Amino acid sequence: MTVVDIRIELKKGVADPEGSNTKKTLESLGFKGIDSVRTVKVFEIVIDAPAEEAKARAEEMCRRLLANPVIQNYSIVAR
Amino acid sequence: MTVVDIRIELKKGVADPEGSNTKKTLESLGFKGIDSVRTVKVFEIVIDAPAEEAKARAEEMCRRLLANPVIQNYSIVAR
């Protein structure tokens, strides 16, 4: 069993309305010094395979379903 | 400047329909050996403060806005 974290984030320059609205709301609550807020999606997948194979399968999952290469980057960590 | 990752996940036992639908879809694409898929939300916040203070502010952001303590756990990593 391997726990794989697939972290999917928006590419630089792609608008992140949820992040910018969260920033505005935090500021309206009085939080200071916030430079930026970005949202990231993580899929935590438990795969019944050793780490190397689980990572390879996760990579294929990203290519075939989970990530949109036009606007998103992904990274995979097995732990 | 400190980059703080706020990781918000559902508590054990709370239904995660997005995760379970993702699991079903991956299986329908032919992926085998998937034990579970859970979705996690990460806010990546850049705060203009040293690490310790940035973490303390992020903790307060979770309590006041970002996390719902009834169904979610959160963890904070400064990097």
Side-chain angles (χ1 to χ4, degrees), chain A residues 22-41:
Chain A
T22 302
K23 179 173 184 286
K24 273 182 225 156
T25 308
L26 287 168
E27 286 167 345
S28 76
L29 286 171
F31 288 102
K32 303 216 182 303
I34 303 173
D35 193 64
S36 67
V37 178
R38 304 279 290 172
T39 56
V40 178
K41 171 120 213 154

Side-chain angles (χ1 to χ4, degrees), chain A residues 57-58 60-61 64, chain B residues 25-34:
Chain A
R57 282 195 215 169
E60 200 190 337
M61 290 173 189
R64 291 187 59 197
Chain B
T25 308
L26 287 168
E27 286 167 344
S28 75
L29 286 171
F31 289 100
K32 302 215 184 303
I34 302 173

Side-chain angles (χ1 to χ4, degrees), chain A residues 41-58:
Chain A
K41 171 120 213 154
V42 174
F43 291 97
E44 189 184 283
I45 306 188
V46 181
I47 302 177
D48 190 9
E52 275 313 299
E53 197 191 320
K55 274 182 84 166
R57 282 195 215 169

Side-chain angles (χ1 to χ4, degrees), chain B residues 1-68:
Chain B
M1 288 287 186
T2 306
V3 181
V4 175
D5 263 8
I6 299 177
R7 190 183 163 102
I8 298 176
E9 48 202 310
L10 291 164
K11 289 187 177 178
K12 272 221 159 128
V14 176
D16 180 356
E18 188 182 355
S20 54
N21 282 321
T22 302
K23 178 172 186 283
K24 274 182 223 156
T25 308
L26 287 168
E27 286 167 344
S28 75
L29 286 171
F31 289 100
K32 302 215 184 303
I34 302 173
D35 192 64
S36 68
V37 178
R38 302 279 290 171
T39 57
V40 178
K41 171 120 215 154
V42 175
F43 291 97
E44 189 184 282
I45 305 188
V46 181
I47 302 177
D48 190 9
E52 275 313 301
E53 197 191 319
K55 274 182 85 167
R57 282 195 216 170
E59 174 84 32
E60 200 190 335
M61 290 173 189
C62 287
R63 283 202 310 272
R64 292 187 58 196
L65 180 73
L66 303 176
N68 176 351

